[in-house]
Amino acid sequence: MSRVFNFSAGPAILPEEVLQQAREELGDWQGSGMSVMEMSHRGKEFMAIAAQAEADLRELMAIPSNYKVLFLQGGASTQFSMVPINLLNGKKSADYVLTGSWGKKAISEAKRYCEVNTVASSLEQKFSTVPDFNSWKLNKDAAYLHYTPNETIEGVEFDFVPQTGDVPLVVDMSSNILSRPIDVSKFGVIYAGAQKNIGPAGLTIAIVRDDLIGNAMPNMPVMMDYKIHAENESMYNTPPTYSWYIAGLVFQWLKRNGGLSAMAAVNDRKAARLYAAIDGSDFYANPVEKRYRSCMNVPFTLADAELDATFLSEAKAAGLVTLKGHRSVGGMRASIYNAMPESGVDALVGFMADFEKRHG
Ligand code: PMP
């Protein structure tokens, strides 16, 4: 297998070991004579794969027993509507924190269902920070508070969990789930599209506290109701079986590699090395307030944007791909999820120094 270092924001790099195992099992999963892709989701083989994946995720994240783990479809974007549909429960408003492009999308979707109070925003700072928690204007009557702990496009990551008393916290962890240990019990709902730190696209995971299930708005499509999925163990309809299986292999890879504490240590090292390279030069820059710099998505600009295309093509020739920043912000972005090895970050840092020497 000839592999590049893929810095894509998602779908993103997967651990090579996982791909190898998937390849070995592709046509015949453990003597079943079938590919996982060909299995009935209700057959005993797939039921075992599904149950093991859930058990491993519960172990990795230490998910308490009063939470359901749902394996859904529709991406994180569908959660932007499932959250208000399931959590409003007769209330008229919800609180949202705006720290980047994905939070903005979550807000505009929620506005279809309720009054949205944007209780804190870093829009004026061009999403380069997280507003000081003391300045948030929280509402006691809010059905929930939603925020995006890691904004994938701007590269802004929370380093704290807000305290909202009885108002449940809802988080879009699409781009930083599994990157370090968290205390699940602090949250009402945690959701994430799989295609960054979990596995292939097509699968969306929602971890939902029991008491927040069963209150969906009437007359909504049945697929939007957490209760339907919870009661049917995420098999009300055909789930994304192959993505679920690969996610399970990723969970086993995480367990073999020391779990989330070990992952956090590696992630901190990788991010520190890359930000040091950016800060240590006048040629590269990152606009995010240091405390809130993301460990997963590292956007950076070159001193001369005219060199962007050359940077990208030379990087590609060196085996470092998908470094182009999001079209809304320009520049570069290196996504360094769990599966990006330290050697990939070292190669990028080396390339950046060399590029600066030649073009800076
Ligand atoms: N939220 C965040 C933080 C994301 O990074 C993304 C995808 N880049 C989304 C939501 C949208 O996810 P999906 O494409 O799975 O709907």
PDB file of all heavy atoms in Angstrom, residues 9-10 74-80 102-103 105 148 150-153 172-176 191-196 202-204 297 333 337, ligand 1:
ATOM      1  N   ALA A   9      -9.980  17.579   6.099  1.00  0.00           N
ATOM      2  CA  ALA A   9     -10.838  17.843   7.269  1.00  0.00           C
ATOM      3  C   ALA A   9     -11.943  16.808   7.402  1.00  0.00           C
ATOM      4  O   ALA A   9     -12.576  16.701   8.442  1.00  0.00           O
ATOM      5  CB  ALA A   9     -11.434  19.238   7.151  1.00  0.00           C
ATOM      6  N   GLY A  10     -12.230  16.083   6.346  1.00  0.00           N
ATOM      7  CA  GLY A  10     -13.219  15.021   6.424  1.00  0.00           C
ATOM      8  C   GLY A  10     -14.032  14.935   5.146  1.00  0.00           C
ATOM      9  O   GLY A  10     -14.390  15.989   4.621  1.00  0.00           O
ATOM     10  N   GLY A  74     -27.496  10.664   8.107  1.00  0.00           N
ATOM     11  CA  GLY A  74     -27.896  12.056   7.880  1.00  0.00           C
ATOM     12  C   GLY A  74     -26.838  13.075   8.265  1.00  0.00           C
ATOM     13  O   GLY A  74     -27.035  14.270   8.073  1.00  0.00           O
ATOM     14  N   GLY A  75     -25.724  12.627   8.803  1.00  0.00           N
ATOM     15  CA  GLY A  75     -24.643  13.553   9.137  1.00  0.00           C
ATOM     16  C   GLY A  75     -24.964  14.421  10.341  1.00  0.00           C
ATOM     17  O   GLY A  75     -26.094  14.426  10.847  1.00  0.00           O
ATOM     18  N   ALA A  76     -23.957  15.154  10.766  1.00  0.00           N
ATOM     19  CA  ALA A  76     -24.164  16.095  11.870  1.00  0.00           C
ATOM     20  C   ALA A  76     -25.223  17.119  11.486  1.00  0.00           C
ATOM     21  O   ALA A  76     -25.970  17.608  12.333  1.00  0.00           O
ATOM     22  CB  ALA A  76     -22.843  16.782  12.209  1.00  0.00           C
ATOM     23  N   SER A  77     -25.327  17.409  10.202  1.00  0.00           N
ATOM     24  CA  SER A  77     -26.304  18.404   9.746  1.00  0.00           C
ATOM     25  C   SER A  77     -27.735  18.000  10.102  1.00  0.00           C
ATOM     26  O   SER A  77     -28.572  18.866  10.350  1.00  0.00           O
ATOM     27  CB  SER A  77     -26.196  18.591   8.233  1.00  0.00           C
ATOM     28  OG  SER A  77     -24.892  19.003   7.894  1.00  0.00           O
ATOM     29  N   THR A  78     -28.028  16.709  10.101  1.00  0.00           N
ATOM     30  CA  THR A  78     -29.374  16.270  10.480  1.00  0.00           C
ATOM     31  C   THR A  78     -29.596  16.464  11.986  1.00  0.00           C
ATOM     32  O   THR A  78     -30.708  16.744  12.431  1.00  0.00           O
ATOM     33  CB  THR A  78     -29.588  14.804  10.058  1.00  0.00           C
ATOM     34  OG1 THR A  78     -29.454  14.747   8.636  1.00  0.00           O
ATOM     35  CG2 THR A  78     -30.965  14.297  10.430  1.00  0.00           C
ATOM     36  N   GLN A  79     -28.513  16.367  12.761  1.00  0.00           N
ATOM     37  CA  GLN A  79     -28.643  16.637  14.207  1.00  0.00           C
ATOM     38  C   GLN A  79     -28.996  18.101  14.459  1.00  0.00           C
ATOM     39  O   GLN A  79     -29.599  18.424  15.490  1.00  0.00           O
ATOM     40  CB  GLN A  79     -27.363  16.247  14.946  1.00  0.00           C
ATOM     41  CG  GLN A  79     -27.084  14.749  14.938  1.00  0.00           C
ATOM     42  CD  GLN A  79     -28.285  13.942  15.368  1.00  0.00           C
ATOM     43  OE1 GLN A  79     -28.830  14.163  16.441  1.00  0.00           O
ATOM     44  NE2 GLN A  79     -28.727  13.017  14.523  1.00  0.00           N
ATOM     45  N   PHE A  80     -28.600  18.983  13.538  1.00  0.00           N
ATOM     46  CA  PHE A  80     -28.970  20.398  13.720  1.00  0.00           C
ATOM     47  C   PHE A  80     -30.493  20.528  13.847  1.00  0.00           C
ATOM     48  O   PHE A  80     -30.980  21.424  14.524  1.00  0.00           O
ATOM     49  CB  PHE A  80     -28.490  21.256  12.539  1.00  0.00           C
ATOM     50  CG  PHE A  80     -26.985  21.370  12.393  1.00  0.00           C
ATOM     51  CD1 PHE A  80     -26.428  21.879  11.222  1.00  0.00           C
ATOM     52  CD2 PHE A  80     -26.127  20.980  13.414  1.00  0.00           C
ATOM     53  CE1 PHE A  80     -25.048  21.994  11.072  1.00  0.00           C
ATOM     54  CE2 PHE A  80     -24.744  21.094  13.270  1.00  0.00           C
ATOM     55  CZ  PHE A  80     -24.210  21.589  12.100  1.00  0.00           C
ATOM     56  N   TRP A 102     -19.830  26.207  11.661  1.00  0.00           N
ATOM     57  CA  TRP A 102     -20.771  25.109  11.901  1.00  0.00           C
ATOM     58  C   TRP A 102     -21.821  25.504  12.925  1.00  0.00           C
ATOM     59  O   TRP A 102     -23.003  25.158  12.793  1.00  0.00           O
ATOM     60  CB  TRP A 102     -20.043  23.817  12.270  1.00  0.00           C
ATOM     61  CG  TRP A 102     -19.306  23.297  11.075  1.00  0.00           C
ATOM     62  CD1 TRP A 102     -17.962  23.281  10.870  1.00  0.00           C
ATOM     63  CD2 TRP A 102     -19.891  22.801   9.863  1.00  0.00           C
ATOM     64  NE1 TRP A 102     -17.675  22.800   9.618  1.00  0.00           N
ATOM     65  CE2 TRP A 102     -18.835  22.492   8.977  1.00  0.00           C
ATOM     66  CE3 TRP A 102     -21.210  22.589   9.431  1.00  0.00           C
ATOM     67  CZ2 TRP A 102     -19.048  21.977   7.703  1.00  0.00           C
ATOM     68  CZ3 TRP A 102     -21.427  22.075   8.149  1.00  0.00           C
ATOM     69  CH2 TRP A 102     -20.351  21.770   7.306  1.00  0.00           C
ATOM     70  N   GLY A 103     -21.420  26.261  13.919  1.00  0.00           N
ATOM     71  CA  GLY A 103     -22.393  26.772  14.888  1.00  0.00           C
ATOM     72  C   GLY A 103     -23.431  27.653  14.197  1.00  0.00           C
ATOM     73  O   GLY A 103     -24.620  27.626  14.529  1.00  0.00           O
ATOM     74  N   LYS A 105     -24.498  27.355  11.163  1.00  0.00           N
ATOM     75  CA  LYS A 105     -25.462  26.479  10.473  1.00  0.00           C
ATOM     76  C   LYS A 105     -26.431  25.843  11.464  1.00  0.00           C
ATOM     77  O   LYS A 105     -27.629  25.703  11.174  1.00  0.00           O
ATOM     78  CB  LYS A 105     -24.723  25.376   9.705  1.00  0.00           C
ATOM     79  CG  LYS A 105     -24.055  25.892   8.455  1.00  0.00           C
ATOM     80  CD  LYS A 105     -23.946  24.804   7.404  1.00  0.00           C
ATOM     81  CE  LYS A 105     -23.689  25.415   6.047  1.00  0.00           C
ATOM     82  NZ  LYS A 105     -23.120  24.480   5.087  1.00  0.00           N
ATOM     83  N   THR A 148     -20.365  24.357  19.759  1.00  0.00           N
ATOM     84  CA  THR A 148     -19.504  23.547  18.896  1.00  0.00           C
ATOM     85  C   THR A 148     -18.107  23.554  19.514  1.00  0.00           C
ATOM     86  O   THR A 148     -17.358  24.520  19.332  1.00  0.00           O
ATOM     87  CB  THR A 148     -19.461  24.147  17.467  1.00  0.00           C
ATOM     88  OG1 THR A 148     -20.803  24.480  17.079  1.00  0.00           O
ATOM     89  CG2 THR A 148     -18.858  23.169  16.474  1.00  0.00           C
ATOM     90  N   ASN A 150     -15.403  22.210  18.869  1.00  0.00           N
ATOM     91  CA  ASN A 150     -14.286  22.402  17.939  1.00  0.00           C
ATOM     92  C   ASN A 150     -14.844  22.827  16.583  1.00  0.00           C
ATOM     93  O   ASN A 150     -15.551  22.059  15.935  1.00  0.00           O
ATOM     94  CB  ASN A 150     -13.461  21.125  17.787  1.00  0.00           C
ATOM     95  CG  ASN A 150     -12.225  21.344  16.938  1.00  0.00           C
ATOM     96  OD1 ASN A 150     -11.320  22.094  17.322  1.00  0.00           O
ATOM     97  ND2 ASN A 150     -12.170  20.732  15.758  1.00  0.00           N
ATOM     98  N   GLU A 151     -14.548  24.055  16.200  1.00  0.00           N
ATOM     99  CA  GLU A 151     -14.997  24.554  14.895  1.00  0.00           C
ATOM    100  C   GLU A 151     -13.956  24.159  13.855  1.00  0.00           C
ATOM    101  O   GLU A 151     -12.825  24.654  13.832  1.00  0.00           O
ATOM    102  CB  GLU A 151     -15.203  26.074  14.937  1.00  0.00           C
ATOM    103  CG  GLU A 151     -16.530  26.476  15.580  1.00  0.00           C
ATOM    104  CD  GLU A 151     -17.753  26.251  14.668  1.00  0.00           C
ATOM    105  OE1 GLU A 151     -17.585  25.775  13.526  1.00  0.00           O
ATOM    106  OE2 GLU A 151     -18.877  26.543  15.114  1.00  0.00           O
ATOM    107  N   THR A 152     -14.372  23.264  12.982  1.00  0.00           N
ATOM    108  CA  THR A 152     -13.472  22.602  12.044  1.00  0.00           C
ATOM    109  C   THR A 152     -12.847  23.566  11.030  1.00  0.00           C
ATOM    110  O   THR A 152     -11.711  23.357  10.594  1.00  0.00           O
ATOM    111  CB  THR A 152     -14.283  21.532  11.263  1.00  0.00           C
ATOM    112  OG1 THR A 152     -15.180  20.895  12.173  1.00  0.00           O
ATOM    113  CG2 THR A 152     -13.386  20.505  10.628  1.00  0.00           C
ATOM    114  N   ILE A 153     -13.610  24.572  10.637  1.00  0.00           N
ATOM    115  CA  ILE A 153     -13.123  25.469   9.582  1.00  0.00           C
ATOM    116  C   ILE A 153     -12.176  26.525  10.149  1.00  0.00           C
ATOM    117  O   ILE A 153     -11.088  26.760   9.621  1.00  0.00           O
ATOM    118  CB  ILE A 153     -14.327  26.120   8.854  1.00  0.00           C
ATOM    119  CG1 ILE A 153     -15.092  25.034   8.092  1.00  0.00           C
ATOM    120  CG2 ILE A 153     -13.855  27.254   7.925  1.00  0.00           C
ATOM    121  CD1 ILE A 153     -16.378  25.506   7.424  1.00  0.00           C
ATOM    122  N   ASP A 172     -21.850  19.632  19.378  1.00  0.00           N
ATOM    123  CA  ASP A 172     -21.491  19.079  18.077  1.00  0.00           C
ATOM    124  C   ASP A 172     -19.997  18.762  18.124  1.00  0.00           C
ATOM    125  O   ASP A 172     -19.163  19.628  17.897  1.00  0.00           O
ATOM    126  CB  ASP A 172     -21.800  20.109  16.984  1.00  0.00           C
ATOM    127  CG  ASP A 172     -21.288  19.669  15.608  1.00  0.00           C
ATOM    128  OD1 ASP A 172     -20.714  18.572  15.507  1.00  0.00           O
ATOM    129  OD2 ASP A 172     -21.469  20.450  14.652  1.00  0.00           O
ATOM    130  N   MET A 173     -19.683  17.503  18.441  1.00  0.00           N
ATOM    131  CA  MET A 173     -18.280  17.092  18.579  1.00  0.00           C
ATOM    132  C   MET A 173     -17.738  16.446  17.312  1.00  0.00           C
ATOM    133  O   MET A 173     -16.807  15.631  17.378  1.00  0.00           O
ATOM    134  CB  MET A 173     -18.128  16.115  19.748  1.00  0.00           C
ATOM    135  CG  MET A 173     -17.990  16.804  21.072  1.00  0.00           C
ATOM    136  SD  MET A 173     -17.378  15.723  22.349  1.00  0.00           S
ATOM    137  CE  MET A 173     -17.723  16.751  23.770  1.00  0.00           C
ATOM    138  N   SER A 174     -18.324  16.800  16.181  1.00  0.00           N
ATOM    139  CA  SER A 174     -17.930  16.131  14.927  1.00  0.00           C
ATOM    140  C   SER A 174     -16.421  16.057  14.740  1.00  0.00           C
ATOM    141  O   SER A 174     -15.897  15.039  14.322  1.00  0.00           O
ATOM    142  CB  SER A 174     -18.533  16.863  13.728  1.00  0.00           C
ATOM    143  OG  SER A 174     -19.926  16.732  13.726  1.00  0.00           O
ATOM    144  N   SER A 175     -15.724  17.163  15.043  1.00  0.00           N
ATOM    145  CA  SER A 175     -14.302  17.156  14.701  1.00  0.00           C
ATOM    146  C   SER A 175     -13.364  17.002  15.891  1.00  0.00           C
ATOM    147  O   SER A 175     -12.150  17.050  15.698  1.00  0.00           O
ATOM    148  CB  SER A 175     -13.947  18.402  13.879  1.00  0.00           C
ATOM    149  OG  SER A 175     -14.453  19.566  14.469  1.00  0.00           O
ATOM    150  N   ASN A 176     -13.894  16.782  17.094  1.00  0.00           N
ATOM    151  CA  ASN A 176     -12.936  16.464  18.174  1.00  0.00           C
ATOM    152  C   ASN A 176     -13.357  15.322  19.093  1.00  0.00           C
ATOM    153  O   ASN A 176     -12.665  15.038  20.078  1.00  0.00           O
ATOM    154  CB  ASN A 176     -12.539  17.711  18.976  1.00  0.00           C
ATOM    155  CG  ASN A 176     -13.673  18.304  19.782  1.00  0.00           C
ATOM    156  OD1 ASN A 176     -14.840  17.967  19.576  1.00  0.00           O
ATOM    157  ND2 ASN A 176     -13.343  19.201  20.695  1.00  0.00           N
ATOM    158  N   TYR A 191     -23.135  14.760  19.756  1.00  0.00           N
ATOM    159  CA  TYR A 191     -23.284  14.133  18.433  1.00  0.00           C
ATOM    160  C   TYR A 191     -22.076  14.428  17.567  1.00  0.00           C
ATOM    161  O   TYR A 191     -21.340  15.390  17.791  1.00  0.00           O
ATOM    162  CB  TYR A 191     -24.588  14.561  17.750  1.00  0.00           C
ATOM    163  CG  TYR A 191     -24.694  16.028  17.385  1.00  0.00           C
ATOM    164  CD1 TYR A 191     -24.173  16.502  16.171  1.00  0.00           C
ATOM    165  CD2 TYR A 191     -25.322  16.939  18.220  1.00  0.00           C
ATOM    166  CE1 TYR A 191     -24.289  17.840  15.818  1.00  0.00           C
ATOM    167  CE2 TYR A 191     -25.442  18.282  17.875  1.00  0.00           C
ATOM    168  CZ  TYR A 191     -24.919  18.725  16.671  1.00  0.00           C
ATOM    169  OH  TYR A 191     -25.022  20.052  16.322  1.00  0.00           O
ATOM    170  N   ALA A 192     -21.877  13.566  16.587  1.00  0.00           N
ATOM    171  CA  ALA A 192     -20.711  13.709  15.698  1.00  0.00           C
ATOM    172  C   ALA A 192     -20.925  12.948  14.407  1.00  0.00           C
ATOM    173  O   ALA A 192     -21.354  11.791  14.436  1.00  0.00           O
ATOM    174  CB  ALA A 192     -19.456  13.169  16.396  1.00  0.00           C
ATOM    175  N   GLY A 193     -20.636  13.584  13.302  1.00  0.00           N
ATOM    176  CA  GLY A 193     -20.521  12.863  12.036  1.00  0.00           C
ATOM    177  C   GLY A 193     -19.267  12.004  12.136  1.00  0.00           C
ATOM    178  O   GLY A 193     -18.281  12.395  12.748  1.00  0.00           O
ATOM    179  N   ALA A 194     -19.299  10.820  11.534  1.00  0.00           N
ATOM    180  CA  ALA A 194     -18.198   9.880  11.748  1.00  0.00           C
ATOM    181  C   ALA A 194     -16.929  10.196  10.976  1.00  0.00           C
ATOM    182  O   ALA A 194     -15.851   9.734  11.335  1.00  0.00           O
ATOM    183  CB  ALA A 194     -18.666   8.476  11.372  1.00  0.00           C
ATOM    184  N   GLN A 195     -17.038  10.999   9.930  1.00  0.00           N
ATOM    185  CA  GLN A 195     -16.000  11.000   8.898  1.00  0.00           C
ATOM    186  C   GLN A 195     -14.709  11.734   9.255  1.00  0.00           C
ATOM    187  O   GLN A 195     -13.914  12.049   8.368  1.00  0.00           O
ATOM    188  CB  GLN A 195     -16.577  11.544   7.588  1.00  0.00           C
ATOM    189  CG  GLN A 195     -17.024  13.003   7.625  1.00  0.00           C
ATOM    190  CD  GLN A 195     -18.467  13.212   8.096  1.00  0.00           C
ATOM    191  OE1 GLN A 195     -19.049  12.333   8.707  1.00  0.00           O
ATOM    192  NE2 GLN A 195     -19.042  14.372   7.836  1.00  0.00           N
ATOM    193  N   LYS A 196     -14.487  11.983  10.558  1.00  0.00           N
ATOM    194  CA  LYS A 196     -13.223  12.612  10.969  1.00  0.00           C
ATOM    195  C   LYS A 196     -12.486  11.671  11.916  1.00  0.00           C
ATOM    196  O   LYS A 196     -11.523  11.032  11.516  1.00  0.00           O
ATOM    197  CB  LYS A 196     -13.493  13.965  11.605  1.00  0.00           C
ATOM    198  CG  LYS A 196     -14.187  14.906  10.606  1.00  0.00           C
ATOM    199  CD  LYS A 196     -14.979  15.963  11.306  1.00  0.00           C
ATOM    200  CE  LYS A 196     -15.991  16.649  10.417  1.00  0.00           C
ATOM    201  NZ  LYS A 196     -15.479  17.200   9.174  1.00  0.00           N
ATOM    202  N   GLY A 202     -21.291   8.635   6.399  1.00  0.00           N
ATOM    203  CA  GLY A 202     -22.525   7.843   6.318  1.00  0.00           C
ATOM    204  C   GLY A 202     -23.063   7.458   7.676  1.00  0.00           C
ATOM    205  O   GLY A 202     -24.230   7.110   7.817  1.00  0.00           O
ATOM    206  N   LEU A 203     -22.198   7.514   8.676  1.00  0.00           N
ATOM    207  CA  LEU A 203     -22.591   7.185  10.045  1.00  0.00           C
ATOM    208  C   LEU A 203     -22.524   8.452  10.888  1.00  0.00           C
ATOM    209  O   LEU A 203     -21.599   9.254  10.733  1.00  0.00           O
ATOM    210  CB  LEU A 203     -21.619   6.140  10.615  1.00  0.00           C
ATOM    211  CG  LEU A 203     -21.718   5.822  12.108  1.00  0.00           C
ATOM    212  CD1 LEU A 203     -23.003   5.079  12.426  1.00  0.00           C
ATOM    213  CD2 LEU A 203     -20.507   4.988  12.558  1.00  0.00           C
ATOM    214  N   THR A 204     -23.513   8.634  11.746  1.00  0.00           N
ATOM    215  CA  THR A 204     -23.523   9.750  12.686  1.00  0.00           C
ATOM    216  C   THR A 204     -23.807   9.177  14.059  1.00  0.00           C
ATOM    217  O   THR A 204     -24.758   8.395  14.214  1.00  0.00           O
ATOM    218  CB  THR A 204     -24.658  10.741  12.342  1.00  0.00           C
ATOM    219  OG1 THR A 204     -24.575  11.057  10.959  1.00  0.00           O
ATOM    220  CG2 THR A 204     -24.551  12.006  13.173  1.00  0.00           C
ATOM    221  N   ASN A 297      -7.698  20.781  13.980  1.00  0.00           N
ATOM    222  CA  ASN A 297      -7.710  21.489  12.696  1.00  0.00           C
ATOM    223  C   ASN A 297      -6.861  22.739  12.838  1.00  0.00           C
ATOM    224  O   ASN A 297      -7.177  23.613  13.636  1.00  0.00           O
ATOM    225  CB  ASN A 297      -9.137  21.878  12.297  1.00  0.00           C
ATOM    226  CG  ASN A 297     -10.093  20.696  12.382  1.00  0.00           C
ATOM    227  OD1 ASN A 297     -10.792  20.541  13.384  1.00  0.00           O
ATOM    228  ND2 ASN A 297     -10.101  19.849  11.383  1.00  0.00           N
ATOM    229  N   ARG A 333      -5.083  24.547   5.672  1.00  0.00           N
ATOM    230  CA  ARG A 333      -5.568  23.927   6.908  1.00  0.00           C
ATOM    231  C   ARG A 333      -5.035  22.516   6.968  1.00  0.00           C
ATOM    232  O   ARG A 333      -5.230  21.734   6.036  1.00  0.00           O
ATOM    233  CB  ARG A 333      -7.100  23.897   6.960  1.00  0.00           C
ATOM    234  CG  ARG A 333      -7.622  23.114   8.166  1.00  0.00           C
ATOM    235  CD  ARG A 333      -9.131  23.142   8.265  1.00  0.00           C
ATOM    236  NE  ARG A 333      -9.798  22.836   7.000  1.00  0.00           N
ATOM    237  CZ  ARG A 333     -11.103  22.658   6.870  1.00  0.00           C
ATOM    238  NH1 ARG A 333     -11.886  22.764   7.915  1.00  0.00           N
ATOM    239  NH2 ARG A 333     -11.628  22.378   5.683  1.00  0.00           N
ATOM    240  N   TYR A 337      -6.143  14.669  12.824  1.00  0.00           N
ATOM    241  CA  TYR A 337      -6.975  13.806  13.662  1.00  0.00           C
ATOM    242  C   TYR A 337      -6.148  12.662  14.254  1.00  0.00           C
ATOM    243  O   TYR A 337      -4.978  12.470  13.897  1.00  0.00           O
ATOM    244  CB  TYR A 337      -8.140  13.264  12.830  1.00  0.00           C
ATOM    245  CG  TYR A 337      -9.054  14.349  12.286  1.00  0.00           C
ATOM    246  CD1 TYR A 337      -9.248  14.504  10.915  1.00  0.00           C
ATOM    247  CD2 TYR A 337      -9.718  15.223  13.150  1.00  0.00           C
ATOM    248  CE1 TYR A 337     -10.093  15.489  10.414  1.00  0.00           C
ATOM    249  CE2 TYR A 337     -10.560  16.207  12.657  1.00  0.00           C
ATOM    250  CZ  TYR A 337     -10.743  16.346  11.291  1.00  0.00           C
ATOM    251  OH  TYR A 337     -11.568  17.321  10.799  1.00  0.00           O
TER     252      TYR A 337
HETATM  253  N1  PMP B   1     -20.292  20.134  12.383  1.00  0.00           N
HETATM  254  C1  PMP B   1     -18.967  20.174  12.307  1.00  0.00           C
HETATM  255  C2  PMP B   1     -18.172  20.685  13.479  1.00  0.00           C
HETATM  256  C3  PMP B   1     -18.326  19.732  11.153  1.00  0.00           C
HETATM  257  O1  PMP B   1     -16.996  19.760  11.053  1.00  0.00           O
HETATM  258  C4  PMP B   1     -19.106  19.238  10.076  1.00  0.00           C
HETATM  259  C5  PMP B   1     -18.490  18.672   8.809  1.00  0.00           C
HETATM  260  N2  PMP B   1     -17.338  19.217   8.375  1.00  0.00           N
HETATM  261  C6  PMP B   1     -20.492  19.252  10.201  1.00  0.00           C
HETATM  262  C7  PMP B   1     -21.055  19.681  11.371  1.00  0.00           C
HETATM  263  C8  PMP B   1     -21.378  18.762   9.093  1.00  0.00           C
HETATM  264  O2  PMP B   1     -21.328  17.404   9.117  1.00  0.00           O
HETATM  265  P1  PMP B   1     -22.054  16.468   8.060  1.00  0.00           P
HETATM  266  O3  PMP B   1     -21.390  16.698   6.760  1.00  0.00           O
HETATM  267  O4  PMP B   1     -21.816  15.104   8.646  1.00  0.00           O
HETATM  268  O5  PMP B   1     -23.498  16.835   8.051  1.00  0.00           O
END
